Amino acid sequence: MDMKLEVVVVPVSDVDRAKDFYTALGWRLDADVATDEDFRVVQVTPPGSPASVIFGSSVTSQAPGSAQGLHLIVDDIAAAHDELKRLGADPSEVFHDAGGVFHHAGTDARVPGPDPQRGSYGSFLSFGDPDGNGWILQEVTTRLPGRLDPSVTVFSSTADLASALRRAAAAHGEHEARTGAEDPNWPDWYADYMVREQAGTELPS
């Protein structure tokens, strides 16, 4: 039985302030429903995300600002930093962890700058909403094996598809340089590269 994570509930103290903050980041407003003056549900969805975020009145008993370590995945951490800054989210600088595996809680063991090898999963930044709920952006460019269903290739936005095409184009350029010949079947090579990259399997050479 599939069990798909679809919604994360974030505790806030001021629903309208939270709504303004998240929609200003470009997150899609899916719903804003109140059944009475004590119960209100707002749902927003980050661009390209299959999961949504809910906040409101009487939707959680958690203290406002207590949600921490909420992760958003991007394929270009520097571009994400610039966009968040432009939209008023006040992000941290890009960092990697001293341990090199994941990141410690809070700001412990943060090393300024992206992962030196720019390895997939290794670069982060953080930002908080007006209540202090903590978000982490993690750069993922190549999935580890088994992280996605290899039989399904899905791009959640035109930006994701364009980024995948750019990576395939760069890799294909290296392929042609190695073979010393122009590849007339480049569409097949691109498609194979993009499917394998998303599935986390060995990339074509």
Side-chain angles (χ1 to χ4, degrees):
M1 178 183 295
D2 288 346
M3 294 187 181
K4 299 178 180 179
L5 179 62
E6 296 239 349
V7 172
V8 174
V9 178
V10 173
V12 303
S13 59
D14 186 319
V15 180
D16 287 320
R17 182 178 66 173
K19 177 181 173 182
D20 289 345
F21 175 81
Y22 286 113
T23 56
L25 297 184
W27 295 22
R28 185 184 70 232
L29 178 63
D30 300 322
D32 186 348
V33 181
T35 58
D36 56 49
E37 62 181 17
D38 296 321
F39 186 71
R40 179 181 174 190
V41 179
V42 177
Q43 178 174 306
V44 294
T45 302
S49 175
S52 300
V53 174
I54 280 180
F55 52 86
S57 303
S58 301
V59 297
T60 178
S61 59
Q62 299 178 81
S66 61
Q68 300 296 318
L70 302 164
H71 277 63
L72 300 168
I73 303 304
V74 297
D75 60 16
D76 187 329
I77 198 75
H81 173 273
D82 292 345
E83 180 171 306
L84 285 172
K85 189 171 183 179
R86 176 175 58 82
L87 296 173
D90 192 24
S92 73
E93 293 304 314
V94 176
F95 65 90
H96 62 282
D97 190 80
V101 177
F102 191 55
H103 61 80
H104 288 68
T107 58
D108 292 346
R110 288 189 180 185
V111 181
D115 175 65
Q117 284 74 45
R118 206 58 181 269
S120 190
Y121 299 93
S123 302
F124 308 88
L125 65 77
S126 63
F127 74 93
D129 72 6
D131 283 288
N133 293 301
W135 293 89
I136 297 285
L137 267 63
Q138 181 178 23
E139 184 179 70
V140 176
T141 53
T142 303
R143 296 280 178 176
L144 292 173
R147 296 304 192 271
L148 293 173
D149 183 347
S151 66
V152 177
T153 304
V154 176
F155 297 99
S156 57
S157 68
T158 54
D160 283 348
L161 176 57
S163 293
L165 284 166
R166 291 188 189 97
R167 293 192 297 274
H172 187 259
E174 296 174 0
H175 163 74
E176 288 186 322
R178 283 192 296 272
T179 61
E182 184 176 341
D183 178 12
N185 294 319
W186 64 266
D188 294 336
W189 199 98
Y190 274 40
D192 186 37
Y193 184 95
M194 292 163 66
V195 168
R196 291 195 199 189
E197 181 187 53
Q198 194 168 96
T201 57
E202 184 178 358
L203 297 175
S205 59

